[in-house]
Amino acid sequence: MPPRTRQSQRRPARPVTITAVVDPVAALASENLDDNLYLYDTNKAAGSTGFGTPGLRSLVHKGDTLLWNVLPLECETYVSLNDIEIDPRIAEPVRKVYPGTDIVFWTAEVKQDLTEPVPYRLSFLLGTVSTPFTPTARPVLAGPAPEGR
C-alpha cells in the first residue's frame, strides 16, 4: 500500500504574551515607572529582545494574537494596565477581564507584517493614585529582519 500523503494543517499560533512586571512600591516612592518596570514576552526564541527593560522589542507577524498582562512585585499594592496606545493600523488593543475575577488583561491581533519597528505606550494605575503612570521608554513591535541583514 502506498504511503498516505499528509495534508498540511496550519496549527493556530499561540499568543505572544507580553508581561509587565511592576515594582509599585518603588514606582510610587520615586514617582518613576521607568526604573521599576520590567517587560518580558513569550517570543524570545523567535527573536524578541530587550527582556527585563521597559524597551522590550517583541517580534511579531501578521495574524499574531498579542496578550498583555501585569504582575506586581508587591502583591499587596494595586497595579493595573490602564491603557495601550498603538497605531490602530497595526493593532487595536481591547481591555478584557478574566471570567469570575477582577483581573484585567488586553488583547489585540497584529493586522500587518511590520517592515519598521512600531513603538507603543503603556500606562498603569498604581496604588490609590488616580493619575496613570506612563514610562518614557517605549516598547516596540517589530517584524523579522529582512534577508541579508
Side-chain angles (χ1 to χ4, degrees):
M1 178 168 10
R4 297 173 92 181
T5 57
R6 292 185 89 189
Q7 292 179 332
S8 67
Q9 292 179 341
R10 185 172 178 200
R11 293 183 358 184
R14 68 180 183 152
V16 176
T17 301
I18 301 169
T19 300
V21 179
V22 178
D23 184 342
V25 173
L28 287 165
S30 66
E31 297 181 3
N32 176 349
L33 190 55
D34 282 285
D35 295 335
N36 301 292
L37 173 65
Y38 314 93
L39 297 175
Y40 299 89
D41 76 26
T42 56
N43 225 16
K44 186 174 185 175
S48 292
T49 60
F51 289 88
T53 72
L56 176 68
R57 180 184 178 102
S58 297
L59 188 80
V60 298
H61 298 278
K62 178 181 179 181
D64 282 351
T65 299
L66 304 175
L67 186 148
W68 288 269
N69 61 28
V70 179
L71 292 173
L73 284 179
E74 169 58 60
C75 64
E76 293 179 3
T77 304
Y78 178 79
V79 177
S80 178
L81 181 54
N82 185 60
D83 193 22
I84 302 171
E85 296 174 28
I86 189 169
D87 183 338
R89 295 172 295 175
I90 305 303
E92 294 183 65
V94 176
R95 181 183 187 274
K96 297 183 177 181
V97 177
Y98 287 105
T101 74
D102 60 354
I103 299 171
V104 172
F105 67 100
W106 293 71
T107 64
E109 182 176 321
V110 178
K111 295 181 178 181
Q112 59 182 291
D113 282 321
L114 305 178
T115 56
E116 296 291 326
V118 176
Y120 62 95
R121 183 181 312 268
L122 301 171
S123 63
F124 299 86
L125 292 175
L126 305 177
T128 59
V129 178
S130 61
T131 304
F133 282 71
T134 303
T136 54
R138 296 181 79 186
V140 299
L141 300 179
E147 295 296 322
R149 268 197 178 173

